[in-house]
Amino acid sequence: MEHDHGGHLMSDLSPIIKQISFAEQSLLQQRRIDSGGANSTGSSGTSMGVIFTGNFHHSVPNHLIFDGQLRPADKLLWQVLRAFISNPQMPGYVPSREELSAAMVCSAPTVANSRATLRINRWMTFCRTVRDELQRFVGDVYLLHEEPLSLADTLELDSGYVQFLEAQVSGASAGKANRNLASQVLAQISALESTPRSPTQLESMEDRLREAVFGKRTLITTSEEFDSHVKNFNTALTDAEDEKIALNEVMRASEEPLESHDKNFNAGQNSHVKNLNTAFDKNLADKENSLHGSEKNIFYPRSIGSSSININKYITTRARKGIHPSTEPARRHDADLDKPLAECLTASHLGWLVADTTQPMLFLWEVYRTNIPVIGRVLLGLGEEARRDVMCQLFGRMIFNVKHPGTEPIRNIVSFTKALVDRRRDNVMMLDEWGQMVKEAIEDGEPHFLIGHGDLP
């Protein structure tokens, strides 16, 4: 502040003057650009410089404000991150830990804890870790959402999401609230009866209206329900029709003669496969072509999923009417494919499947890559031997499909696995010929499925 000649205080106008000068230079620069381009004929067009002198305002999602699973610091972190992004044409920003701590008036550990909470609740999605040329840690890249992302989409973008939850549960550095929250999310993932998928736009609109009226969102979106869900606002895996289909498949796979599989696997669903615009990963398609001569001989759909739980938004159990949910086109994300398939299996407690004798067939898991963490959680309810039997049977079924072009593949991998788990728990599941061959390939080093039984062309 300064005094004028009469002794009165004068405001320091330098910030305003600087902005006025900046606007002046911008107008001159724009005129030079126009003069060298479309307006080179001497157009009399004029522009205007405008400087906003008020407070900047940011909108906050209503659901964020009333999210009972977030603490005040968690909500403040979301708002601070969003406030740092002011230009819609440049939606990214790289705030430092010091900037976030200063803006939130809190410590760095509080920022880290809130960031973990937002990731658990899927308000943020981890994308990748960045390192410099000397492999020194630089930072992480996240997506910030205006509402919690679905479980299926999270698994598509963040293949380590389930492992992150497990680390939160077992890690000493995680706070008690995050440990409890992550534990509840894992429990709901382990209890999934069907493959998670992404909600449709219509379903998302219904969720928002339901939240506005009833204050409650739906649960995890899976591939299970085929009937109307409008009458039941709290759908929680009530329709068992898809599981019955999967159970019938499992029973046929383990009890019927091998030669009858061609016509019985997923019977009655053939019409859904013919008319789909499938999106095959090129490498997988090439491998399939080399096995069958043409990709039309075999179809590997990858179901898409969603999430939210009473405690963790968006886990719903609905499917699009008229479309079998598990036949939706597969999607690929390069960031997810950066991780070797064997590493994905190992991270999901399935590393024992990776052996020299099974390596030639491991690519079959590629189409189910995003569901591998879910399968790993579903199997944790069994003992070690029982888990191995279920996975050998499941892997054997995949190999059978490859060895017998034209047979129906597993459409709903999570539902199929859950049916196998239930039968194994009831001691009524026995390994068929193909499941036994996988088991021998792993335990005895005998890859029987690579010879005989309809050799690959």
Side-chain angles (χ1 to χ4, degrees):
M1 306 291 286
E2 298 178 355
H3 292 79
D4 61 11
H5 297 293
H8 298 94
L9 290 174
M10 295 179 57
S11 298
D12 182 7
L13 299 179
S14 58
I16 297 178
I17 294 173
K18 287 181 179 179
Q19 290 298 321
I20 293 175
S21 298
F22 179 79
E24 178 184 6
Q25 294 301 318
S26 296
L27 285 171
L28 291 173
Q29 181 180 6
Q30 185 63 46
R31 173 50 61 89
R32 285 193 294 269
I33 294 175
D34 291 342
S35 298
N39 294 331
S40 57
T41 56
S43 170
S44 60
T46 60
S47 299
M48 177 175 63
V50 179
I51 303 168
F52 180 60
T53 62
N55 289 312
F56 285 90
H57 300 268
H58 302 281
S59 61
V60 180
N62 185 73
H63 186 42
L64 180 79
I65 297 175
F66 294 104
D67 189 336
Q69 298 306 314
L70 301 182
R71 296 156 298 191
D74 308 330
K75 299 175 184 180
L76 180 58
L77 174 60
W78 190 99
Q79 295 175 68
V80 169
L81 290 171
R82 179 64 186 87
F84 276 129
I85 305 172
S86 58
N87 186 349
Q89 295 181 340
M90 300 178 64
Y93 185 72
V94 186
S96 67
R97 182 169 54 183
E98 291 73 21
E99 286 178 309
L100 292 176
S101 297
M104 295 176 62
V105 193
C106 67
S107 64
T110 299
V111 173
N113 194 53
S114 292
R115 183 177 59 187
T117 305
L118 292 176
R119 184 180 176 189
I120 293 172
N121 284 275
R122 297 190 295 281
W123 282 96
M124 288 177 62
T125 301
F126 171 79
C127 294
R128 63 181 55 183
T129 294
V130 179
R131 298 184 183 277
D132 62 15
E133 60 278 2
L134 298 178
Q135 294 303 304
R136 292 174 298 191
F137 176 78
V138 175
D140 296 322
V141 178
Y142 290 87
L143 298 179
L144 185 67
H145 311 297
E146 66 174 6
E147 58 186 359
L149 195 64
S150 69
L151 174 62
D153 291 333
T154 298
L155 293 175
E156 287 274 356
L157 293 165
D158 180 7
S159 61
Y161 178 66
V162 172
Q163 288 72 49
F164 162 74
L165 295 176
E166 293 174 340
Q168 288 291 304
V169 171
S170 60
S173 60
K176 181 179 179 181
N178 279 354
R179 283 199 299 270
N180 292 338
L181 187 60
S183 179
Q184 293 178 64
V185 178
L186 286 174
Q188 300 240 357
I189 293 175
S190 299
L192 284 176
E193 299 281 349
S194 188
T195 302
R197 65 172 184 83
S198 300
T200 64
Q201 286 185 312
L202 179 60
E203 289 168 351
S204 296
M205 287 190 290
E206 290 176 350
D207 279 345
R208 296 185 187 104
L209 291 174
R210 182 178 297 111
E211 182 189 14
V213 176
F214 298 97
K216 183 178 290 187
R217 305 182 78 91
T218 53
L219 304 180
I220 293 182
T221 305
T222 68
S223 301
E224 183 158 271
E225 290 194 357
F226 299 97
D227 295 332
S228 172
H229 52 267
V230 176
K231 57 187 177 183
N232 186 358
F233 290 139
N234 294 315
T235 51
L237 302 170
T238 56
D239 187 354
E241 185 62 29
D242 200 40
E243 182 178 349
K244 291 178 181 178
I245 293 174
L247 183 58
N248 289 335
E249 291 184 52
V250 173
M251 293 177 68
R252 284 195 295 267
S254 60
E255 297 173 1
E256 290 190 354
L258 190 61
E259 57 271 17
S260 67
H261 286 200
D262 287 18
K263 56 185 179 182
N264 287 332
F265 283 152
N266 294 299
Q269 299 177 9
N270 298 20
S271 59
H272 295 287
V273 180
K274 299 176 183 177
N275 300 319
L276 285 176
N277 225 348
T278 56
F280 281 88
D281 174 68
K282 186 177 185 303
N283 294 332
L284 181 57
D286 290 343
K287 291 178 180 178
E288 289 172 348
N289 291 340
S290 67
L291 293 176
H292 309 299
S294 171
E295 66 182 52
K296 67 181 180 181
N297 291 328
I298 191 165
F299 173 75
Y300 288 104
R302 186 167 74 176
S303 295
I304 319 173
S306 158
S307 124
S308 171
I309 318 181
N310 280 347
I311 61 138
N312 212 24
K313 292 67 32 214
Y314 293 127
I315 296 185
T316 120
T317 58
R318 305 171 306 182
R320 303 178 191 177
K321 294 182 179 180
I323 299 179
H324 192 291
S326 60
T327 58
E328 293 180 350
R331 297 179 296 177
R332 293 292 182 197
H333 293 281
D334 292 340
D336 185 46
L337 292 176
D338 287 344
K339 180 181 292 187
L341 192 58
E343 186 177 328
C344 292
L345 289 166
T346 301
S348 300
H349 318 288
L350 302 173
W352 56 270
L353 276 177
V354 182
D356 291 340
T357 50
T358 60
Q359 194 70 39
M361 289 295 179
L362 280 184
F363 78 94
L364 296 176
W365 287 96
E366 186 65 57
V367 75
Y368 302 115
R369 173 185 283 264
T370 58
N371 290 312
I372 289 176
V374 177
I375 293 173
R377 293 299 308 180
V378 170
L379 289 170
L380 287 182
L382 297 175
E384 179 66 24
E385 182 180 357
R387 288 202 299 268
R388 288 182 175 243
D389 285 347
V390 169
M391 287 305 295
C392 287
Q393 183 64 38
L394 183 61
F395 198 4
R397 168 65 187 275
M398 295 179 185
I399 295 172
F400 170 81
N401 289 140
V402 165
K403 301 283 282 187
H404 295 78
T407 57
E408 291 289 342
I410 301 171
R411 292 175 175 274
N412 191 322
I413 188 71
V414 174
S415 181
F416 191 90
T417 303
K418 185 63 167 57
L420 284 174
V421 167
D422 292 341
R423 288 175 60 79
R424 182 62 177 82
R425 184 179 289 117
D426 295 336
N427 293 318
V428 294
M429 190 205 88
M430 296 182 62
L431 292 178
D432 65 11
E433 180 182 5
W434 293 89
Q436 188 63 40
M437 283 192 291
V438 172
K439 186 173 184 178
E440 292 176 358
I442 295 172
E443 297 180 354
D444 304 330
E446 297 290 342
H448 302 292
F449 46 78
L450 294 181
I451 57 175
H453 302 283
D455 289 338
L456 300 178

